[in-house]
Amino acid sequence: MTIVDVAHHAGVSVATASKVLRNAPGVSDAMRTRVRASMTALSYRPHRPARGMRGRTYTVGMIVSDIENPFFSLLQRGISKVIAQHNYEILIAPGGVTSSSQRAVMNALIDHQMDGVILVSPRASDDELDRIAGEIPMVLVGRHSSSAALDSISGDDELGAKLVVDHFVELGHERIAFVTHHNEAEHSSFPETIRMNGFRSAMAAHGLPATIIPAAWSLEGGRAAARHLATLTPQPTAVHAGADIAAFGMMSEIWERAVVPPNSFALAGYDNSPTSAIGPISLTTVDQSGLDMGSIAAEMLLERIAGRDDSRHELVTPSLVVRASSFLPTPIEQ
């Protein structure tokens, strides 16, 4: 079925049917209802490549490092809610954790004529991101940026790490550890780098030594962090896992293998993903408003696609969500 068939079925001009399809102004509500009813009756689906030849494909790409991180689903829901109102569709592409693997996925999206892309904590250099932004409208999520070639939205990661440390110290903890996220290269704009530096600064402000556990923000990375924790002497009484997904991995390793006694230390994550609120998990975490972050990123991208040239860079203020995981059932050793 084509737009011509829809127009004939609805008894309107092809131009009118096209306006309804594009959600363009100049069509009455009654006419929109009539045309959309015909689209449904005929099972009409827009031909994306043909639309691309006329200028747009009405598709955007979202590149994430993997699809197991529940925080990415929050971002996706926020993005989809906004772009659906403009008849856009989203394609989610796992890009891996290296700049080379993400570059390959990015090139594939460009080749498929995406109208724009949203990159979640990309590993590419600033220069490469600027170059790609010259080819396709781009918004970064999580990655801090001040580039004039693209837009970005991220949480205040330094403040988020401080909130966790201050909470632990208020509870009486002095031996606190942080789980790092290893990549092929560190960069001052990466969220993991800023969170780790924020952790170190907050610990120093309290006159406390900072313990770093090398791992990765993934389920397996969290499991590795739990095994590393078991080798430390003295053991930390509190751990900031850096991300919820790493905290879940730590919990899994402790529950399944008992590498350290369950509930022997306080634990906090970062992201306030839906899983963190499940009763048995009850993870203390930092909320950086993932749904809102995704919605804002989508709005930025649509503005870029529409022709906005000036850059926008937003910083979201996080808040601490305190749950049972940050409390210990026994007194803390002094």
Side-chain angles (χ1 to χ4, degrees), residues 15 19 36 62 131 147 171-172 177 184 200 205 207 217 221 224 231 259 309:
K19 283 185 177 181
R36 286 170 180 163
M62 174 184 177
R131 179 187 64 76
S147 171
L171 292 175
E184 57 183 353
R200 291 183 185 275
W217 291 350
T231 69
V259 292
D309 291 327

Side-chain angles (χ1 to χ4, degrees), residues 72-141:
F72 296 159
S73 67
L74 285 177
L75 294 175
Q76 179 270 322
R77 284 166 52 194
I79 294 168
S80 296
K81 180 180 178 181
V82 171
I83 67 172
Q85 298 172 3
H86 299 269
N87 293 322
Y88 269 82
E89 295 178 353
I90 185 172
L91 187 152
I92 302 174
V97 296
T98 67
S99 59
S100 59
S101 62
Q102 292 184 4
R103 186 183 307 114
V105 173
M106 170 61 70
N107 290 337
L109 294 182
I110 293 175
D111 290 344
H112 281 79
Q113 296 183 312
M114 297 285 137
D115 290 339
V117 291
I118 294 175
L119 310 185
V120 182
S121 298
R123 306 264 67 86
S125 67
D126 291 340
D127 288 342
E128 184 173 10
L129 290 173
D130 284 351
R131 179 187 64 76
I132 298 172
E135 299 181 46
I136 187 171
M138 178 190 297
V139 176
L140 308 183
V141 176

